[in-house]
Amino acid sequence: MGTALLRAAARLAGWPELPESAPARRQLWAEVGVACDALSADVLVLGIRPRGDALLARRLTDAADAGEPQRVTLRELGPALEIGAERCVSICENPSVVASAADRLGARCPPLVCVEGVPSSAALRLLRSFKDGGARLRVHADFDWAGVRIVNALVAMGLGEPWRSDAADFRRAIDAGLRGPALCGSRVEPGWSSSLGPAIADAGCSILEEQVLGDLLADLLKGPE
């Protein structure tokens, strides 16, 4: 398991090889957002209602009922948190998705976890709790090389399946005139689609989650098919 996680972290950070020395491994973990202390790492959530009467469970349930996002630290995600077997947990890359879901869906929003770029250790622990509880996890990110890297890593760790992330989704947005910033960084091939990488490269631009918010919020409201 340790080697598998290290390999997923290297893939997420874009490292061509696994680090061999302890300092290099610490550097890799830092690059993928794994903090050494339990208060620096946190995760942004909305619509999570854990079981039980622990402090965090009560806070998250109250916030979900009020339709308000919450930040949860790695320290809080201890054994006292019991994640229910939710039907589906959605994962996004950007806080703007959570803010819009809170504004438009409020208490109706199903479980939504925002990784804010590279998933932190708190985000990974929370997602594993959902997985262990039997939830289905689906993940969406920006259509750019960084977003592809995030989805690749979560899929490789078994912590998500692609959500509205195939070449047809990308081309539909392009055809609608939703062209984002120019691509930057090295090309990354999506492990779940042989046609998405070439489609993004041919377009030469990204498509940000903010540009497809309508589709994402509609999916949240109706639930998975």
Side-chain angles (χ1 to χ4, degrees):
M1 176 61 73
T3 301
L5 290 176
L6 197 65
R7 185 176 296 109
R11 185 182 298 110
L12 184 60
W15 286 35
E17 298 179 354
L18 293 182
E20 296 184 0
S21 68
R25 286 194 293 271
R26 285 195 295 270
Q27 180 183 348
L28 172 59
W29 288 124
E31 288 189 19
V32 298
V34 178
C36 294
D37 72 88
L39 293 177
S40 297
D42 62 24
V43 57
L44 178 64
V45 303
L46 175 65
I48 293 181
R49 296 173 172 87
R51 297 191 298 261
D53 194 44
L55 176 61
L56 179 58
R58 296 197 308 269
R59 176 162 72 84
L60 290 181
T61 298
D62 287 346
D65 291 342
E68 287 297 326
Q70 291 286 292
R71 287 193 176 277
V72 182
T73 67
L74 180 62
R75 177 185 174 90
E76 294 176 290
L77 291 170
L81 183 66
E82 298 182 31
I83 301 297
E86 305 286 356
R87 188 161 60 99
C88 181
V89 176
S90 300
I91 306 164
C92 63
E93 177 183 354
N94 297 291
S96 57
V97 178
V98 178
S100 295
D103 289 341
R104 303 186 198 180
L105 305 182
R108 297 177 297 163
C109 186
L112 178 62
V113 176
C114 179
V115 296
E116 298 184 270
V118 175
S120 69
S121 50
L124 294 177
R125 179 175 293 183
L126 180 63
L127 294 176
R128 289 192 191 98
S129 295
F130 275 119
K131 178 184 177 182
D132 292 344
R136 170 190 172 188
L137 306 176
R138 61 181 184 180
V139 55
H140 186 277
D142 293 332
F143 280 113
D144 60 13
W145 304 136
V148 170
R149 189 175 288 116
I150 291 168
V151 178
N152 270 346
L154 290 176
V155 170
M157 288 185 280
L159 297 178
E161 58 189 48
W163 165 33
R164 281 193 179 269
S165 297
D166 60 26
D169 295 310
F170 179 80
R171 293 193 183 100
R172 189 159 42 246
I174 288 291
D175 291 344
L178 303 177
R179 301 180 69 88
L183 296 170
C184 62
S186 57
R187 177 168 170 171
V188 181
E189 295 301 326
W192 68 94
S193 171
S194 61
S195 55
L196 177 58
I200 295 176
D202 289 346
C205 69
S206 62
I207 295 176
L208 307 180
E209 284 188 315
E210 291 88 339
Q211 296 177 285
V212 293
L213 268 175
D215 290 337
L216 299 179
L217 295 182
D219 284 354
L220 289 172
L221 192 57
K222 74 180 182 181
E225 296 180 354

